[in-house]
Amino acid sequence: MAAMEMQTVLQFAPSSSSTLSAKVHPLVIFNICDCYVRRPDQAERVIGTLLGSVLPDGTVDIRNSYAVPHNESSEQVALDIDYHHNLLLSHQKVNPKEVIVGWYSTGLGVTGGSALIHDFYSREVPNPIHLTVDTGFSNGEGTIKAYVSVNLSLGDRPLAAQFQEVPLDLRMVEAERIGFDVLKTTMVDKIPSDLEGMEISMQRLLALIDDVYKYVDDVVEGHTAPDNNIGRFISDTVASLPKLSPPVFDKLVNGNVQDTAQLSREVEYSCSDPLISVCWVNSRPKTINPH
């Protein structure tokens, strides 16, 4: 009996990863991609700090980020801690409500050095989120995942850390979604113009309206069981629409299209100014020699 009481047990430390979730804003993804493009030539990946807050329901809301210089080898990882703390103070002067919620790295999944970096951020904030962005498009697209660390111990002695994936919600408005759709593909001919972006948005909106029509018809005909929550959501959405007559609606849409076309022509005209050395023409960078 005494021998059984003294046996060593291999166990995982308790973790809230089963109920923890994260929500990331598109600005964070754009910042990470921009830092990856601007990284030093010898750097294989980019590492940085995630800023945000914890919502009342426990969801980690990731709203901002900044890169942290580092040196990495097969045996160790060195972070510029002074740079990290100075930049954090600068961010909190602008928005004191944004605090450290975790860290990010580019690449597919976690690596051997991730545990060392995660250990540092665990001293900065309890239970930090580790966000990974696959800027190398290993699976044909930019995979984005979030992890938390769970400690594996043998008795009272910690042995290792295991990264467990948590649900990640990437929410964005329509204008942000257009840019994200461009970034997550491996190659695009050009960035869509405002008119092209408007067309994509309208096509997606029409597809959603068709889905709503089909759902309502199926409920009315008895093919689908009614859902009160969906019904209230549809009713609130319809009630929130402004009551405009077709001529007024056409005038608003046509006016917006004309304003967008005029803005595009003004951008092209400004590029003819010899004082401007770099400009954008039809969403493409164009360099002009002032001489």
Side-chain angles (χ1 to χ4, degrees):
M1 179 66 68
M4 293 179 61
E5 293 178 352
M6 296 180 62
Q7 65 182 355
T8 302
V9 179
L10 183 66
Q11 60 184 356
F12 286 98
S15 173
S16 59
S17 61
S18 58
T19 59
L20 184 66
S21 62
K23 180 173 67 175
V24 60
H25 291 244
L27 173 63
V28 177
I29 307 301
F30 297 153
N31 283 344
I32 295 174
C33 293
D34 181 66
C35 292
Y36 180 78
V37 173
R38 301 171 184 269
R39 74 190 187 282
D41 294 337
Q42 68 276 11
E44 296 184 358
R45 66 171 177 166
V46 177
I47 294 172
T49 301
L50 299 175
L51 300 177
S53 62
V54 180
L55 302 180
D57 61 355
T59 302
V60 179
D61 188 24
I62 306 172
R63 296 194 298 268
N64 209 340
S65 65
Y66 59 84
V68 178
H70 76 287
N71 291 320
E72 188 172 6
S73 65
S74 58
E75 298 179 354
Q76 64 179 3
V77 178
L79 291 176
D80 192 337
I81 298 178
D82 291 337
Y83 179 91
H84 158 68
H85 287 153
N86 291 335
L87 205 54
L88 175 63
L89 292 176
S90 299
H91 272 272
Q92 291 185 331
K93 288 180 180 178
V94 178
N95 193 346
K97 294 183 179 180
E98 289 186 352
V99 298
I100 298 176
V101 293
W103 66 286
Y104 73 81
S105 67
T106 57
L108 182 61
V110 298
T111 62
S114 298
L116 298 175
I117 305 173
H118 199 83
D119 181 67
F120 165 74
Y121 280 94
S122 297
R123 297 192 294 268
E124 298 283 297
V125 61
N127 202 20
I129 290 287
H130 175 33
L131 184 73
T132 62
V133 180
D134 182 18
T135 52
F137 296 89
S138 302
N139 295 329
E141 62 178 5
T143 305
I144 304 172
K145 294 185 178 181
Y147 302 87
V148 293
S149 177
V150 179
N151 292 326
L152 174 64
S153 60
L154 183 62
D156 296 332
R157 184 178 63 181
L159 294 180
Q162 181 189 39
F163 285 92
Q164 294 184 351
E165 186 176 352
V166 296
L168 181 64
D169 183 12
L170 180 60
R171 293 187 177 180
M172 60 192 77
V173 298
E174 192 61 31
E176 295 170 331
R177 183 175 298 278
I178 294 173
F180 179 76
D181 290 342
V182 172
L183 285 179
K184 73 178 183 180
T185 55
T186 56
M187 182 178 298
V188 293
D189 294 333
K190 66 181 183 68
I191 299 176
S193 64
D194 292 339
L195 290 176
E196 293 170 339
M198 183 185 301
E199 181 181 0
I200 295 173
S201 299
M202 294 303 298
Q203 291 174 350
R204 187 177 287 119
L205 177 60
L206 290 175
L208 292 175
I209 293 176
D210 289 339
D211 291 340
V212 173
Y213 267 118
K214 184 178 184 303
Y215 171 79
V216 174
D217 290 340
D218 290 342
V219 171
V220 172
E221 296 175 1
H223 301 312
T224 301
D227 189 315
N228 293 333
N229 293 328
I230 298 178
R232 293 192 191 97
F233 181 79
I234 296 176
S235 177
D236 294 341
T237 302
V238 173
S240 65
L241 296 175
K243 297 180 179 180
L244 300 175
S245 62
V248 174
F249 181 78
D250 291 341
K251 182 178 179 181
L252 289 175
V253 173
N254 292 331
N256 188 20
V257 171
Q258 292 174 4
D259 292 341
T260 303
Q262 178 66 24
L263 180 60
S264 300
R265 286 193 294 268
E266 289 177 354
V267 170
E268 291 190 18
Y269 175 75
S270 65
C271 290
S272 62
D273 191 337
L275 297 180
I276 301 177
S277 58
V278 177
C279 62
W280 287 83
V281 177
N282 295 330
S283 301
R284 291 177 178 269
K286 180 178 180 181
T287 304
I288 297 178
N289 186 358
H291 305 292

